[in-house]
């Protein structure tokens, strides 16, 4: 049975994915579509509700994304948010004007009696606003349901036509009752039943995978990251030993990580697990190379060479599986043309796996293609993948290769692995792990003078990096307590051979990046 569908119609707002995630958190399956999706296509998808996102434009600008008036004849319950709210009013004959005073940030709004959206919400509550235009005159048949000190029309509706609009952002956690407002729209206005449940997703997907795969084989490139691991576990549940996971260990993972991945998948899951230990090969290719982009290119290229060679050896002729997830393939309402330098374009490159011409597959399988990262993690937990793998912090594809500045050697990899393990151990012990989004050690390849007992030393400097962030586009350095830093420093100099000095990176992003290379 297909899930009931909510569509988030994307008008280029920065919170489009957040809205979709919030809808899914309410137990409703949701997909993001571009604002210019043809009405026929929308109708054919048969959504039980649609949410218009915000966007940076002004409805009066001709180049702004618009919607055909006929959309509102489809009879689909609709919630307009921010720009989406103004667009609803404008398209149906209302007036939108520039605010005399823009509202940005936390604002108090007051609502009257009787709106389904605000049922159970206190008369006055805090919401998140971000707008310079406002609806000054409503279309016929609509009534105002909420206002703020500077915005006379913070929410309006026409319940007979199931059209609702809010100038604020209910999807943002700063909106105190945002979740309730979305919930009311989905359940009371649209009549969703809440059929998006992760355990159902697993059962349905396993069944679909079995039907699709039949008695064929499946090959999956396992990186040890969250997405490919959860895809592997799901496929293992569906087809067991018809699945072969090829794990290329380039020797640039964190300490003992390769063994952990191997143990997890050979002990806990039924599959053929093939590990390729290729550190020597990678170090050989990287010898004498110090340019970061060149290192990235070599590691990426060699990774696939080694992977495809192994796939050839296994005599693959079935399906090729990948851990692609939903954000990897969402097309933004802002457009997604090559050369725009948008994140969407960058991501496409990350996930594009070119298959060599001589290897033929029956097709590609992407079992997680409809899931957001938090949903992937929930599926992973339900499938019994260990916590430390499911909640693994982001780790760059080129691994420690971009955390060793300059040329990479086996000795430097060993020093960095040991140092990184000590730092992570102290963070775990200090209880800071859940607050930090990413924390790791870097080997800047700088030697400094030190003293050990009566001896002068000339050894490696280790830098430690820990950041807090919501989205990795910006990040702040973490205020780790001095006593934790002191313990880390002591242990690094005492326990890790060839380390005699430790520095803590206090650069935020921007101007720094999270990684050093
Ligand atoms: P930066 O350094 O750009 O990092 O601030 C932002 C996030 O991206 C990760 N990162 C990478 N991930 N391949 C990856 O798969 C890469 O080449 C790469 N470079 C950075 C970084 O760890 C952080 O989470």
């Amino acid at each position: 049975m297909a899930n009931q569908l909510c569509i988030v119609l994307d008008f280029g707002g920065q919170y489009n994915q957040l809205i979709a995630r919030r809808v899914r958190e309410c137990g409703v399956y949701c997909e993001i579509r571009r604002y210019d999706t043809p009405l026929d296509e929308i109708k054919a998808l048969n959504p039980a509700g649609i949410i218009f996102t915000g966007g940076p434009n002004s409805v009066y600008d001709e180049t702004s994304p618009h919607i055909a008036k006929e959309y509102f004849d489809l009879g689909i319950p609709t919630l307009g948010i921010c720009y989406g709210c103004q667009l609803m009013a404008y398209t149906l004959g209302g007036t939108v004007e520039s605010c005399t005073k823009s509202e940005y940030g936390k604002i108090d709004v007051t609502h009257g009696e009787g709106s389904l959206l605000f049922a159970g919400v206190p008369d006055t509550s805090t919401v998140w606003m971000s707008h310079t235009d406002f609806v000054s005159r409503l279309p016929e048949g609509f009534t105002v349901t909420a206002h703020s000190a500077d915005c006379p029309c913070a929410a309006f509706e026409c319940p007979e036509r199931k059209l609702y609009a809010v100038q604020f952002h209910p999807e943002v956690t700063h909106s105190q009752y945002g979740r309730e407002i979305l919930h009311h729209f989905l359940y009371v206005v649209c009549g969703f039943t809440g059929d998006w449940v992760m355990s159902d997703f697993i059962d349905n997907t396993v069944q679909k995978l079995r039907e699709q795969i039949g008695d064929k084989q499946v090959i999956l490139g396992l990186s040890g990251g969250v997405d490919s691991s959860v895809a592997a576990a799901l496929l293992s549940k569906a087809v067991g030993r018809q699945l072969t996971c090829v794990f290329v260990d380039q020797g640039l993972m964190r300490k003992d990580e390769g063994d952990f991945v191997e143990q997890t998948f050979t002990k806990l899951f039924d599959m053929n697990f093939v590990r390729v230990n290729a550190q020597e090969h990678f170090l050989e290719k990287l010898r004498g190379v110090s340019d970061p982009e060149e290192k990235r290119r070599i590691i990426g290229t060699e990774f696939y060479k080694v992977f495809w060679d192994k796939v050839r050896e296994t005599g693959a002729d079935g399906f090729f599986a990948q851990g692609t997830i939903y954000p990897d393939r969402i097309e933004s309402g802002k457009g997604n043309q090559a050369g725009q330098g948008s994140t969407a374009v960058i991501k496409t490159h990350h996930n594009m796996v070119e298959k060599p011409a001589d290897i033929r597959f029956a097709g590609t399988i992407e079992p997680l293609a409809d899931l957001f990262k938090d949903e992937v993690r929930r599926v992973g937990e339900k499938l019994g993948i260990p916590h430390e793998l499911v909640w693994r912090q982001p780790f760059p594809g080129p691994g420690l290769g971009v955390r060793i500045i300059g040329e990479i050697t086996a000795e430097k990899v060993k020093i960095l692995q040991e140092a990184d393990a000590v730092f992570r151990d102290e963070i775990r012990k200090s209880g800071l792990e859940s607050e930090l989004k990413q924390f790791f050690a870097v080997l800047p390849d700088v030697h400094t003078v030190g003293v050990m007992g009566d001896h002068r030393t000339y050894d490696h400097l280790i830098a430690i990096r820990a950041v807090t962030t919501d989205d990795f586009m910006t990040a702040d350095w973490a205020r780790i307590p001095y006593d934790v830093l002191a313990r880390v420093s002591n242990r690094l100099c005492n326990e890790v051979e060839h380390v005699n000095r430790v520095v803590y990176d206090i650069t935020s992003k921007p101007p720094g990046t999270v990684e050093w290379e």
Side-chain angles (χ1 to χ4, degrees), residues 176-333:
Q176 260 181 316
Y177 293 89
R179 188 178 292 262
E180 285 78 358
I181 291 168
L182 281 176
H183 201 276
H184 291 147
F185 171 70
L186 296 167
Y187 283 79
V188 185
V189 177
C190 306
F192 281 102
T193 56
D195 61 2
W196 180 241
V197 183
M198 281 304 115
S199 46
D200 290 354
F201 168 84
I202 294 175
D203 292 346
N204 295 342
T205 308
V206 162
Q207 169 131 13
K208 271 191 254 167
L209 287 170
R210 283 186 186 143
E211 284 163 16
Q212 186 183 2
I213 296 165
D215 58 1
K216 290 200 164 61
Q217 301 290 310
V218 184
I219 289 267
L220 173 89
L222 191 67
S223 69
V226 181
D227 305 342
S228 63
S229 296
V230 176
L234 203 49
L235 280 157
S236 155
K237 189 173 167 79
V239 296
R241 294 207 156 242
Q242 285 164 255
L243 170 68
T244 299
C245 286
V246 177
F247 170 52
V248 177
D249 185 348
Q250 13 74 318
L252 299 169
M253 298 187 80
R254 288 171 289 201
K255 188 183 178 188
D256 299 331
E257 204 170 13
D259 295 344
F260 173 64
V261 171
E262 177 172 353
Q263 273 167 22
T264 300
F265 287 97
T266 49
K267 296 227 168 91
L268 300 183
F269 297 97
D270 189 27
M271 63 173 66
N272 301 304
F273 184 91
V274 180
R275 176 171 175 176
V276 190
N277 287 318
Q279 189 186 50
E280 269 182 39
H281 174 86
F282 277 80
L283 290 181
E284 178 59 35
K285 295 286 174 188
L286 289 162
R287 187 181 310 208
V289 180
S290 57
D291 177 70
E293 286 314 306
E294 185 60 7
K295 287 198 282 186
R296 272 198 171 80
R297 191 192 62 73
I298 292 171
I299 295 169
T301 312
E302 290 308 315
F303 183 88
Y304 281 110
K305 270 195 199 153
V306 173
F307 174 73
W308 291 121
D309 281 349
K310 201 62 186 178
V311 170
R312 280 187 192 95
E313 253 179 54
T314 64
D317 61 353
F319 288 93
F320 177 64
Q322 263 180 283
T324 315
I325 68 171
Y326 191 46
D328 296 334
R329 59 186 194 92
I330 296 175
E331 248 191 290
S332 152

Side-chain angles (χ1 to χ4, degrees), residues 293 296 350 393-399 402-403 437-438 440 465 467 469 471-473 475 509 512-517:
E293 286 314 306
R296 272 198 171 80
H350 270 312
Q393 56 173 298
F395 187 62
V402 289
R403 292 181 181 169
K437 283 293 164 67
Q438 216 172 346
F440 53 87
R465 178 83 164 135
V467 295
T469 173
D471 56 8
F472 291 97
M473 304 295 282
K509 174 184 179 177
T513 47
V514 174
E515 302 290 344
W516 277 37
E517 280 198 334

Side-chain angles (χ1 to χ4, degrees), residues 87-121:
L87 189 71
M88 184 186 285
Y90 169 78
T91 312
L92 292 172
T95 310
V96 176
E97 288 177 52
S98 278
C99 304
T100 39
K101 195 169 161 203
S102 305
E103 289 181 303
Y104 183 78
K106 290 182 182 175
I107 304 281
D108 282 346
V109 293
T110 303
H111 69 85
E113 296 281 302
S115 170
L116 289 177
L117 283 194
F118 294 96
V121 176

Side-chain angles (χ1 to χ4, degrees), residues 329-349:
R329 59 186 194 92
I330 296 175
E331 248 191 290
S332 152
K334 274 181 278 191
N336 190 14
Q337 294 100 23
Q340 269 195 331
S342 70
T343 45
V345 173
I346 295 163
K347 275 188 163 294
T348 317
H349 285 276

Side-chain angles (χ1 to χ4, degrees), residues 418 422 490-497:
E418 295 297 330
V422 166
N490 265 337
R491 283 191 60 191
L492 286 174
C493 292
N494 285 321
E495 294 176 26
V496 185
E497 225 183 321

